[in-house]
Every structure is written in C-alpha cells, then in structure tokens.
Amino acid sequence: MFDLDLWREIFQSINMNRTRSLLSGFTVAFAILLFAILFGIANGLQNTFQEAFGTDANNSIIIYPGRTTKANKGLQVGRRIQFKNEDREFIKDTYGDKVQFITSKVNKSVTASFKGEKNDYQLRGIYPEFMFIENNVVKEGRYINQNDINNKAKVVVIGKKVEEELFFKETAIGKYINLSGIQYKVVGVFTDDEGDSEESIIYIPISTIQRVYGNNDLVDFMHLTFNPEMSSAQALAFGMSLENKLKERFDVASSDQRAIRIRNMAQGTQKVDMMTASLSVIILVIGFGTLIAGIVGISNIMIFIVKERTKEIGIRKALGASPRSIVSIILIESIIITAIAGYVGLLVGMGVLELATPVLKDYFIKDPGVSNSLVAGATITLIIAGAIAGYLPAKKASQIKPIVALRDD
Amino acid sequence: MLEIRQLHKSYPIGDSSLHVLKGIDLSVKEGEMVAIMGSSGSGKSTLLNIIGMLDEADQGDYILDGLPIKNLTEKKAAIYRNKFLGFIFQSFNLINYKSALENVALPLYYQGMKRKERLELAMFHLEKVGLADWAKHLPKELSGGQKQRVAIARALAADPKLLLADEPTGALDTKTSHEIMEFIQHLNDEGKTILMVTHEEDIAAMCKRNVRLRDGIIIEDKMVEQVRAQLYV
C-alpha cells in the first residue's frame, strides 16, 4: 500500500525540521562511514594476504628429496634420495583423482643468448601440467605439450622478462635461442602475475632436459596440486599420507625429517583462512557496535522529536488521527532518516576508500573496496535499524493522550 | 442530541483522589448553543473533555446522537471524534508548519478523502470564514483572530454534529472576541449545535443557554435572552 499523502506528511515534517533531521541522521551516517572504511580496509588486508600467496594454485604440494639422517633397514645415514620419472607415475597410480595435476621437475642454470644478447636464466624441465600448477598464462604461441615430451623436442617456452631482455622489440616466437651451445626453438611466451622473477624462467620439456643433460631419467623434485574439493583437513591428511608412502618407497625411517620433505600449501591456506575469518568477525563486531550506537542515537533524537511534537500529535488525534497513522508517521520518518543518512555515509565511505587506495597500498592494503552485496545488505540492515530506532518513540507517540497534549501551559 | 446522566470523574492525586465531576445530568438538543460556566476547578473543562471523547468518565452514561460512548478503543474514539465533533481551542492549536489550507484539510485527510477533494472542501470553508486570501499562509503569519477563524474552519471541515469550544475567545482582545462570537452565533443560526466553555459573563450572554458548574455539580441551568454579538462590532 502506497499512501502518497502519508509520504507528503512525512516529507513535510522532515523538511520543516531540517536541522533536527540532519543532526539525527549524522550519527548513523558516521556509523556507516566508519563501518564502510573499516570493512574496506579489512578487504584490502585480505587481498594483500591473497596476493602474498600469489596465484600459484594454493592447493599445491612440493616434494623435495634430501639426504637421510637416520639409518634404516640396514642402509647408511647420509644416503641421497633421488626421484625418477617412475615416481610420478607411482603417485598418480596410488592417489588417483586425489591428485589434480602433477609434474616432475629438473632445474638447471643456463646462459641463454640470442644474437648479441646474453644472460643467465633458470631452465626448468617440466610436464605440460605445470602450466596449471604455476598458473602461467600464455601470452603468445603455446605452452609445452605432450608431443614435445614424447619427441624430446628441442623447444622452449620463455618468460616475458626473458623475451624483453633478449629479443627487445622483436617477437621471440619461431626464433632459435642458444642455451649453453644448443639451439632451441621458442614456441611460446608466458606471463606470471607473481612478477619478474617468475617471468625470468625458461621452460623445456622434461624429457629433453633429461636427454641433453646426462641422458637419464632423474628428477630434482615433484610438484602437484591436490583435488581442490578437499577440505584443508583432508588436504593435510593427504600430505601426511603422501610423505609416509614415499618414505616407505625409498626405505626412509618414518621419523627422518630430512630425506623427503613435503611443503603443503594447505598449511598456509589454513592459517590465512583462520586469520581472515577472525578479521571478518572483528570487523563485523565493530561494525555492528557502531551501527547500534547509531540506532541508539536516532532513537534518542526520535524520542526527543516525539516530545517536541507532543502537542501536534495531540491535535492530530483530536482531529481523528488513528494511533496507527501516528505510529506510521514516526516510524517511517525514522526509517527514511536512517536510510538516507546511512546511504550518505556509505557513499562517503566508498569515496574515501577510492581516494585513499593509492596511499593505502604502501601499508599493505590492496584494492580496499565495498562489494555490491554489502551495499544491498546494508540497505536492508538500515531499514531494519530505522524501524528499531523508531519503534519505541512511535509507540510512545501513539500513547500520547490528546487531553494531556492539548492542555494549555 | 446529547444525553448525560450521573457522570462522575475523579483524578488520582498521590494517594488520594480528586473528585472533579460529582454526578452531572445534562441534555442538549439539536440547534442549541450552550455556555458551560464556572470558576477554574469547577470541572467545566473536564466535562468538555469527556464530551469531546478526549477523556473518559468513571461512571455514568454519555449518549451522543443515540450512540453510547463507553469503553471506546483509541481507534474507535478517533473515528467518532472525526465524524461527530469539531474542536475549537483557546490557543487555536494549529499545526505550525502547515498552511491555513492544509490545517483546515487535516480532519478530511483522516477521513481518507482524496487530496484534491479535501483541498477544495477546505478552501470552501476558508472562504466561509473570510480567509480565502490567506490559504497559503502559515499560522505564524496570521493574527489571533485569523488563527481562530482558521481553527473554526477546520472544526467545520468534517461537518460535525457538535461543535465544542474551549474558551474560544480566551486569547483574543474584546473586539476580536466579538467578531469570533458573531461568527459562532451565525453558525448556530444555520443549525449547528454548539457547546462552549467560558468564564466570561458577556460571552456566556451571547449563548442561548447557560449551565453553571461549581465543585463538580450543576448549580444553575437556564435559558437566556441571546445578546447578538453584532451589536458590539
């Protein structure tokens, strides 16, 4: 039911008492302003955390071999653990779809040259799956593919930084790059939003690197991502199991901490999740606290307004206003003031965040912002808040006895 | 029109209570113009408030136009007040942020009349009290006499059966008082039933019937020869 006359009455009353309405709105506007800024900063902190962990798949696990520190099954201390190609197959077969992507890696340092330019880079022998584990984005050309692996093709995919340093303005695709005396065809250029160091890398099919550097099937370490549907607890358990299985496979004592090491991102993710969750709780508590303070403020002023308007309400009642129409007037007035003031606060808060973004970046707060869903949520909250703030005063107003209100004193 | 039998009312004051009305019997016929008189504390305002449904009696019957007024809910009382009664107050009681026209239209708003209709009707009543030119003015821009005339127009707007006036000339000078009284007399001539509380003898003399209260009982109830206010203007 939309009663135009009721709204006319309300806007007339708000308009006639502009200062009063403004003052009562101020508390709420301020509360929402604070809330928006706090929320934005918290968001920014969260973004920073996320960035710190990069866009590397945060479900990744890296397995490093080392030397044994404990004698086991008649084997000596100090034995070096060496992974081979078959270990990748072993993990794939053992864990099935718990493993999303898996690659073995062989790392070398090389001097790369093209025409007169020369520089040292890391060369990584990998499987095509590595693209998804590392979240590399192909900028031009293609990534290493299975054909390259099968054919031990002499092809490389270079980082954007490598292209910039060796090829200047030229396009690198199709050119031959010299790595420690052997020519490789550049088939792709990739980017990685983790920055320069991750873009100063040259990828090569693992089969090629194994052939060229020693003609063996040895592997430096393995890198995998677990099924992202696993909870962090499941992921941690998976990491433990993986470690135990590999220790068994390589006859390593289960208490040996150095022979096979596993770096499970789930550990970090869990911590970050906990931290951001507690941050959200703190922000919500502060936000609600300020909002409640705002509601109390509005409520107070509305009570004062009712007191001030006692006579007017008495007159209205004498002229035939029903208690309900009195309640509507006060309640809707309160809701309107709260909602408008709240929105102003929200807009100002968003504006402040927008302006402060470049400054805040220096304080580890990235892209602070307020989401659309929050704005929608805030709208509903504000209307409810206005209703709560107006309820008591409205109730009080409806109970005013005209005879008391009209007494001449 | 109006029938009151054995009406009692007392107000609690601390532990004891003050017995204000001690058995009032009053009957008013249509078209009468009655002045309720008495010194302050005699209970005349309380009686008017009960008649105006702004207050409720403790005991006794009050029948207005055949309707028993008893145990009304606030909502019902609001509807009855709107339909049956028009109020004129000593201090005018206009809403200060509404124009004269909007003030007059307010009872019609509470009747649920459409805006255009009620503004037209309100304008008609403002014309009747001679203030059509002042329709857009706020109460603070009007003189006392003009304010009271706006209040009368407002009281008449809903076409009530009974007009209740509480010291309608109490805040006005003699000349303006007589103007207002002339107007009220004119309404009575047209057939409106009017009940007025006053403590001024000359104003009471301009009514057709005087009811005198003292200490909560009627001590005198007589018809009087109406003095026309016109003579003084």
Side-chain angles (χ1 to χ4, degrees):
Chain A
M1 100 179 169
F2 184 78
D3 185 348
L4 189 66
D5 285 318
L6 179 64
W7 290 90
R8 223 189 286 267
E9 287 283 318
I10 288 159
F11 277 106
Q12 195 172 34
S13 139
I14 291 179
N15 208 27
M16 282 306 142
N17 303 285
R18 239 172 266 154
T19 331
R20 189 196 66 195
S21 307
L22 238 126
L23 275 175
S24 53
F26 182 77
T27 46
V28 165
F30 201 70
I32 299 293
L33 171 72
L34 277 179
F35 181 59
I37 290 177
L38 276 173
F39 198 89
I41 287 177
N43 251 356
L45 277 175
Q46 259 171 34
N47 290 342
T48 306
F49 284 141
Q50 255 150 30
E51 197 192 41
F53 282 83
T55 51
D56 275 8
N58 54 14
N59 54 340
S60 81
I61 289 180
I62 303 176
I63 308 161
Y64 303 91
R67 281 174 193 278
T68 56
T69 54
K70 286 185 177 149
N72 193 35
K73 293 187 179 170
L75 296 164
Q76 278 183 322
V77 173
R79 175 170 60 97
R80 210 180 135 187
I81 303 297
Q82 175 68 58
F83 292 154
K84 292 183 177 166
N85 283 344
E86 63 203 36
D87 297 320
R88 174 171 175 263
E89 304 308 320
F90 166 73
I91 293 174
K92 267 174 115 171
D93 293 345
T94 312
Y95 290 101
D97 64 359
K98 277 190 180 172
V99 176
Q100 190 188 24
F101 300 113
I102 180 163
T103 183
S104 314
K105 274 160 92 179
V106 175
N107 286 8
K108 303 271 182 231
S109 279
V110 291
T111 304
S113 62
F114 177 75
K115 293 189 177 163
E117 298 303 320
K118 209 177 191 188
N119 209 344
D120 291 335
Y121 297 103
Q122 193 183 55
L123 180 67
R124 288 183 186 167
I126 48 138
Y127 285 98
E129 287 93 326
F130 191 66
M131 177 170 155
F132 305 108
I133 296 173
E134 188 71 22
N135 266 326
N136 289 147
V137 177
V138 174
K139 188 180 142 235
E140 267 178 276
R142 63 172 177 83
Y143 208 73
I144 303 294
N145 62 24
Q146 192 57 44
N147 255 338
D148 300 333
I149 303 285
N150 296 345
N151 300 332
K152 301 188 170 89
K154 289 210 177 85
V155 295
V156 291
V157 175
I158 62 174
K160 194 180 95 191
K161 188 88 177 150
V162 180
E163 185 192 29
E164 280 167 10
E165 285 168 355
L166 294 184
F167 293 87
F168 294 109
K169 295 277 178 302
E170 259 181 279
T171 172
I173 307 288
K175 306 273 161 49
Y176 285 83
I177 187 172
N178 188 317
L179 303 181
S180 310
I182 302 169
Q183 301 281 346
Y184 296 86
K185 187 177 181 183
V186 178
V187 293
V189 178
F190 71 89
T191 60
D192 187 312
D193 57 10
E194 275 170 89
D196 286 354
S197 66
E198 286 295 320
E199 288 176 344
S200 306
I201 287 171
I202 301 172
Y203 288 120
I204 185 167
I206 189 162
S207 55
T208 313
I209 201 171
Q210 283 171 336
R211 166 115 173 229
V212 171
Y213 296 86
N215 198 15
N216 55 31
D217 64 346
L218 303 184
V219 163
D220 288 344
F221 49 96
M222 288 184 284
H223 198 159
L224 64 89
T225 55
F226 52 82
N227 190 330
E229 277 161 31
M230 279 199 245
S231 69
S232 45
Q234 280 173 322
L236 290 176
F238 168 68
M240 294 294 284
S241 155
L242 188 63
E243 188 174 340
N244 291 336
K245 273 266 168 23
L246 286 173
K247 279 178 178 169
E248 215 174 283
R249 183 171 164 85
F250 288 93
D251 297 325
V252 172
S254 60
S255 58
D256 195 329
Q257 298 296 321
R258 313 223 64 179
I260 293 172
R261 282 173 300 143
I262 286 203
R263 197 175 130 213
N264 192 342
M265 291 296 253
Q267 281 170 329
T269 314
Q270 202 183 26
K271 275 182 195 149
V272 171
D273 283 351
M274 270 166 58
M275 189 152 171
T276 48
S278 52
L279 197 64
S280 307
V281 168
I282 291 170
I283 293 297
L284 270 183
V285 168
I286 295 174
F288 266 99
T290 41
L291 191 63
I292 286 168
I295 291 176
V296 171
I298 284 240
S299 208
N300 249 330
I301 292 178
M302 290 307 290
I303 287 176
F304 175 74
I305 287 172
V306 166
K307 197 136 206 144
E308 198 187 69
R309 289 172 70 177
T310 298
K311 187 143 194 154
E312 180 201 325
I313 290 164
I315 296 169
R316 285 173 182 274
K317 284 191 147 186
L319 296 179
S322 63
R324 209 181 115 185
S325 77
I326 302 291
V327 169
S328 307
I329 285 189
I330 304 293
L331 207 57
I332 297 181
E333 190 173 325
S334 163
I335 290 173
I336 288 178
I337 293 177
T338 313
I340 292 179
Y343 250 87
V344 169
L346 195 63
L347 286 180
V348 172
M350 285 163 85
V352 167
L353 285 176
E354 196 70 32
L355 288 176
T357 300
V359 182
L360 289 175
K361 211 166 183 166
D362 301 339
Y363 297 93
F364 307 109
I365 295 164
K366 192 197 172 208
D367 288 344
V370 180
S371 63
N372 286 338
S373 61
L374 181 80
V375 172
T379 312
I380 295 166
T381 314
L382 283 173
I383 289 172
I384 294 171
I388 294 171
Y391 178 75
L392 273 180
K395 188 101 190 150
K396 216 175 142 118
S398 79
Q399 283 162 353
I400 289 174
K401 291 217 179 311
I403 173 181
V404 178
L406 296 176
R407 196 170 286 156
D408 296 309
D409 37 33
Chain B
M1 174 87 222
L2 182 130
E3 200 58 51
I4 286 172
R5 280 190 294 267
Q6 280 306 306
L7 205 70
H8 286 266
K9 176 78 186 173
S10 40
Y11 290 109
I13 294 178
D15 292 336
S16 63
S17 77
L18 183 66
H19 204 169
V20 184
L21 296 179
K22 305 167 178 167
I24 302 282
D25 292 292
L26 183 69
S27 170
V28 178
K29 286 194 259 314
E30 199 155 346
E32 278 199 273
M33 183 167 176
V34 183
I36 299 169
M37 306 176 63
S39 53
S40 57
S42 62
K44 57 184 196 304
S45 287
T46 307
L47 179 60
L48 194 79
N49 285 335
I50 291 172
I51 293 174
M53 298 178 217
L54 301 173
D55 207 346
E56 219 172 321
D58 300 332
Q59 248 179 67
D61 298 318
Y62 166 27
I63 295 153
L64 180 65
D65 205 29
L67 265 170
I69 307 298
K70 200 153 203 184
N71 299 328
L72 293 180
T73 61
E74 274 225 51
K75 201 175 152 192
K76 202 115 197 192
I79 294 169
Y80 282 5
R81 277 198 292 268
N82 186 276
K83 226 161 110 181
F84 298 133
L85 305 172
F87 289 94
I88 302 168
F89 304 96
Q90 178 176 5
S91 51
F92 326 126
N93 281 339
L94 300 174
I95 292 176
N96 56 22
Y97 60 81
K98 284 179 176 292
S99 70
L101 187 67
E102 286 172 316
N103 264 291
V104 176
L106 203 57
L108 302 172
Y109 166 65
Y110 287 119
Q111 267 180 3
M113 193 180 283
K114 288 217 169 64
R115 183 173 166 84
K116 200 170 162 253
E117 257 176 83
R118 68 169 189 262
L119 288 183
E120 265 170 28
L121 193 55
M123 198 63 199
F124 168 77
H125 285 289
L126 266 186
E127 264 167 35
K128 242 183 122 182
V129 297
L131 287 175
D133 295 341
W134 298 84
K136 297 281 171 229
H137 289 251
L138 291 175
K140 65 175 179 221
E141 297 160 343
L142 303 175
S143 71
Q146 284 172 323
K147 281 188 217 174
Q148 196 57 298
R149 278 193 278 164
V150 172
I152 292 172
R154 184 177 66 183
L156 291 173
D159 195 24
K161 293 192 168 8
L162 183 62
L163 214 54
L164 299 176
D166 190 358
E167 305 268 10
T169 60
L172 304 172
D173 60 47
T174 316
K175 185 171 171 290
T176 320
S177 294
H178 289 151
E179 279 171 15
I180 293 294
M181 279 311 292
E182 189 197 353
F183 196 81
I184 294 176
Q185 280 181 341
H186 183 66
L187 289 173
N188 180 243
D189 294 343
E190 287 180 347
K192 212 42 100 194
T193 315
I194 293 162
L195 216 67
M196 177 186 303
V197 162
T198 184
H199 63 264
E200 289 170 73
E201 295 292 343
D202 59 328
I203 297 295
M206 292 175 189
C207 296
K208 290 175 178 169
R209 179 180 166 190
N210 285 2
V211 174
R212 203 175 291 273
L213 261 66
R214 186 187 289 160
D215 298 330
I217 47 171
I218 293 174
I219 54 160
E220 188 187 27
D221 185 351
K222 61 169 187 197
M223 296 296 174
V224 293
E225 190 64 36
Q226 191 181 33
V227 177
R228 297 302 291 190
Q230 209 176 351
L231 300 174
Y232 296 97
V233 180

